[in-house]
Structures are given as C-alpha cells and as structure tokens.
Amino acid sequence: VTFSAPGSGASSTFTTNTAKTGTDGKATIATKANTKAGSYTATGSVIGITTGADFALTNKADQPTQITTQNITQNAIVGKPFNTALQIQVLDQYNNPVTNNSVTLTLPSNGASGVFAGGGSTIVLTTNANGFITAPLTANTTPGTYTGTIEVQGIKGLTQFTFTNDPAPITPITPITNEPKTAPKTESKTEPKTDRTLNLEAKEIRNPRPSIARPEPILCVERSGASVSSSTNPYQGIATCGATTTQGNSIAPQSRRSDR
C-alpha cells in the first residue's frame, strides 16, 4: 500500500511511503504532522484498485507562545468610541493561530480609562478560528493617557497597550446682544398753520431773539481798596468760583454811593 499526503500547507510525513499488508490484510504506517496547522486528506492506494482509501487528518496548533497586536495606540474624545477595535492574535511557535484560547484585557479602574462592551474595565474573550479576539473600546469622561494590559492563557507575562482620552473640543459661544427695542414710529399730526402763526414766524426771522450767555457762578465778592464807589473810583473785588479766582472791577452808578 502506498501512502501520500499534500505537498504543501497542512500535511504530514510518513516514516516510509509504502507498507505491506499483514496476515489480517491490513497495512500500518506511522505519520507525523508538519508545522502547519489545518485539516487535510492523506490517501492510501493499492495497485490494481482504482479507488484509494482517504484519511481525514488535522494538525492542531501548538501551545501559545506569542501574540500580535493591532490598534494598540489610539486617541478618542472623552465619552466617544475609539475608531478601531483593539485586536489581538494568539500564535504558537510556528506562527499558527491558536483557537479557543482565553485573553484577558484590563484597564485602569479610575481616572482616565476606557469601557469595554458591557460597561466594565476588564473583559475576558476567547480566540476565534483564526486566533483573534476583537475588543471595541469607548473612552470614559476623564481626559488623559493610560495603559492597559493583555494577559494570554499559556503565555507568561503581560503585554501593554496605551490609549489616550482627548478633551472635548470647545464649543463656540454665540454672544447674545441686548439690542434696545425701538418703539414703533407714530405719525405726528401737523396742525395747519394759521395767519397768526405765520406772522409770528416771520417776525422771529426779522428780529431774532438775542442769545443770553449764562454768567459764571460767583461764590463771594469782597470789597478792597476804595471806600466809596463812583465813576472814577470803582469797587475792587475778587470773585471766586470753585478753584478759580478772578479779579475784576465793578463800577457803581454815579447816582448812588455805597460802602457795601
């Protein structure tokens, strides 16, 4: 009986390719899996028989020895999901994916941190057929950079990943202007002008009223010098207004004489 297996990918090697049947008509041969994990078919054939004997074989992955990580450094705004899920693949020494292997992810329990699906800071996942686990993550409401850990069953030590929660962007403030309300305009009624009104307006134009200048306030006037006021002997006085002092003459009428 001649035995054969695939020449590439998951396969096995035989100690010898042919074996003779014993007294019971059976041929036995030993085989060894190669380093590729996967399922395949080996065949035993006999000269003179058109149909061979097929054997379904599977090479399982070895024990986990290493991991690969993706998206282990990311930023997200506080309270928002990170753009890409954290992804980890568990491999054996031959880089075969290890299935059904548990992976524990842990984040800080306080301060800047994240939240896994389900709301916790720790989650345990099992690798799929390709050795992967995928963990979506949402930033909590505290800004800052923090470190999480990856613990893989069968591998000693921890692997770290670093995420950052960015502060929320500043929302522009729209100023509110308290504009004064404008009263509605009312139409003013104009009274028709009479002949008397027109005559007064014309008189005002011909003889405009003189403008009267307001005198500066004088707080006190004190007499000094002459004891009698006359046309040739005026009062001499000092006028004070606030912090300003002004000296001037005041001429009394000729018809009056006064010591005041």
Side-chain angles (χ1 to χ4, degrees):
V1 180
T2 302
F3 295 90
S4 61
S8 61
S11 185
S12 59
T13 58
F14 303 102
T15 53
T16 179
N17 289 336
T18 60
K20 291 184 177 182
T21 58
T23 56
D24 57 357
K26 296 180 179 179
T28 304
I29 195 170
T31 184
K32 180 181 180 180
N34 66 4
T35 58
K36 298 293 183 181
S39 298
Y40 57 97
T41 300
T43 303
S45 59
V46 177
I47 296 175
I49 300 177
T50 57
T51 303
D54 292 336
F55 305 92
L57 302 176
T58 299
N59 298 348
K60 296 175 64 176
D62 198 358
Q63 296 299 313
T65 59
Q66 58 182 321
I67 67 171
T68 63
T69 56
Q70 298 181 38
N71 314 317
I72 62 170
T73 303
Q74 294 189 61
N75 290 58
I77 295 174
V78 289
K80 301 294 183 181
F82 287 88
N83 289 334
T84 310
L86 179 66
Q87 194 172 66
I88 298 162
Q89 186 182 31
V90 181
L91 304 172
D92 67 7
Q93 61 177 325
Y94 304 111
N95 294 324
N96 294 306
V98 180
T99 63
N100 297 320
N101 203 82
S102 66
V103 178
T104 302
L105 304 177
T106 304
L107 293 168
S109 57
N110 52 52
S113 186
V115 179
F116 292 110
S121 59
T122 300
I123 191 170
V124 180
L125 301 171
T126 302
T127 57
N128 61 16
N130 295 315
F132 283 104
I133 62 100
T134 301
L137 188 65
T138 300
N140 69 3
T141 57
T142 303
T145 299
Y146 50 95
T147 299
T149 60
I150 305 167
E151 182 180 3
V152 179
Q153 181 183 10
I155 300 178
K156 293 182 179 181
L158 301 174
T159 302
Q160 295 182 337
F161 61 94
T162 302
F163 279 9
T164 299
N165 300 347
D166 293 329
I170 298 175
T171 304
I173 299 175
T174 303
I176 299 175
T177 56
N178 295 324
E179 297 182 354
K181 295 182 179 180
T182 305
K185 294 182 178 180
T186 56
E187 296 182 358
S188 58
K189 296 182 180 181
T190 305
E191 296 292 338
K193 295 184 179 181
T194 61
D195 292 341
R196 182 175 179 278
T197 304
L198 294 174
N199 291 335
L200 291 174
E201 289 180 355
K203 182 177 180 181
E204 184 70 24
I205 294 172
R206 290 193 303 270
N207 300 309
R209 296 179 182 178
S211 58
I212 302 173
R214 293 183 177 180
E216 294 295 330
I218 299 175
L219 299 183
C220 64
V221 176
E222 294 184 0
R223 173 183 166 187
S224 65
S227 59
V228 179
S229 175
S230 67
S231 60
T232 59
N233 185 23
Y235 286 115
Q236 300 294 321
I238 298 176
T240 302
C241 176
T244 304
T245 301
T246 304
Q247 182 172 351
N249 297 331
S250 177
I251 301 175
Q254 294 182 6
S255 58
R256 298 183 58 187
R257 301 178 68 179
S258 175
D259 291 336
R260 295 179 58 189

